[in-house]
Amino acid sequence: MAEFISYDVGLTAKLLRFVNSAYFSPIQEIRSVEQACSMLGLKNLKNFIFLLAINDYISVENPKLWKRSLVRALLAKSIAERIAPDFEDAAYLAGLFSLIDKILGVDKISFLRDLHLDKLIINAYTGENERLKQILDTIS
């Protein structure tokens, strides 16, 4: 992953800025992509890259909705951590995309299918996965 990230200067800069931010407060400055990837771990690194990728779609006109989506993602992950650990990643992404229809003015299910997201996440919105649907209902 570190090698892949290092091919993109912008992504590298954003990653290093992120891991050296006050949120993490590292004891020593993280100076390499390898250190940053090790620090975050695969799951958090995946979420970070996914957030950056979706950021291209986000309209500047809706910063409150974007922030609310992030809060929902973190809440969904936290709830899943306690009641359904197997669904932690899916809950995070389901929370993150919970307002995508309002942010972009698109049909949520079609948009998520076009992104080729895991069917588990789509099923959270259709109700086919009751556990994730409960988590979405709670964070909403």
Side-chain angles (χ1 to χ4, degrees):
M1 287 296 288
E3 182 181 346
F4 172 75
I5 291 169
S6 65
Y7 292 137
D8 186 316
V9 175
L11 183 57
T12 298
K14 288 175 185 175
L15 176 63
L16 291 175
R17 189 176 324 129
F18 178 62
V19 297
N20 285 304
S21 69
Y23 179 77
F24 289 103
S25 300
I27 295 170
Q28 287 186 312
E29 184 179 15
I30 306 299
R31 295 183 179 175
S32 74
V33 176
E34 292 82 10
Q35 284 178 307
C37 290
S38 293
M39 181 180 165
L40 287 179
L42 189 58
K43 185 174 13 173
N44 289 327
L45 185 61
K46 180 181 79 172
N47 289 338
F48 173 76
I49 291 171
F50 202 64
L51 280 173
L52 288 179
I54 193 169
N55 192 39
D56 291 341
Y57 290 102
I58 302 305
S59 169
V60 181
E61 299 169 17
N62 295 310
K64 288 181 182 179
L65 287 177
W66 173 233
K67 288 177 184 177
R68 191 178 302 159
S69 293
L70 288 173
V71 169
R72 284 183 174 193
L74 294 171
L75 286 172
K77 180 181 178 185
S78 181
I79 292 168
E81 228 171 49
R82 290 168 179 75
I83 66 169
D86 293 341
F87 294 123
E88 194 176 321
D89 289 339
Y92 177 86
L93 292 175
L96 184 65
F97 286 112
S98 63
L99 296 171
I100 201 70
D101 52 336
K102 291 174 179 60
I103 292 170
L104 298 179
V106 297
D107 177 68
K108 188 183 305 181
I109 303 299
S110 297
F111 180 81
L112 297 176
R113 285 187 177 132
D114 288 346
L115 287 180
H116 303 289
L117 284 183
D118 187 331
K119 190 169 173 77
L120 184 65
I121 297 160
I122 296 168
N123 289 345
Y125 296 106
T126 63
E128 291 178 54
N129 186 301
E130 292 178 26
R131 190 65 132 177
L132 283 175
K133 177 72 172 143
Q134 286 177 327
I135 292 171
L136 280 176
D137 290 343
T138 301
I139 64 168
S140 297

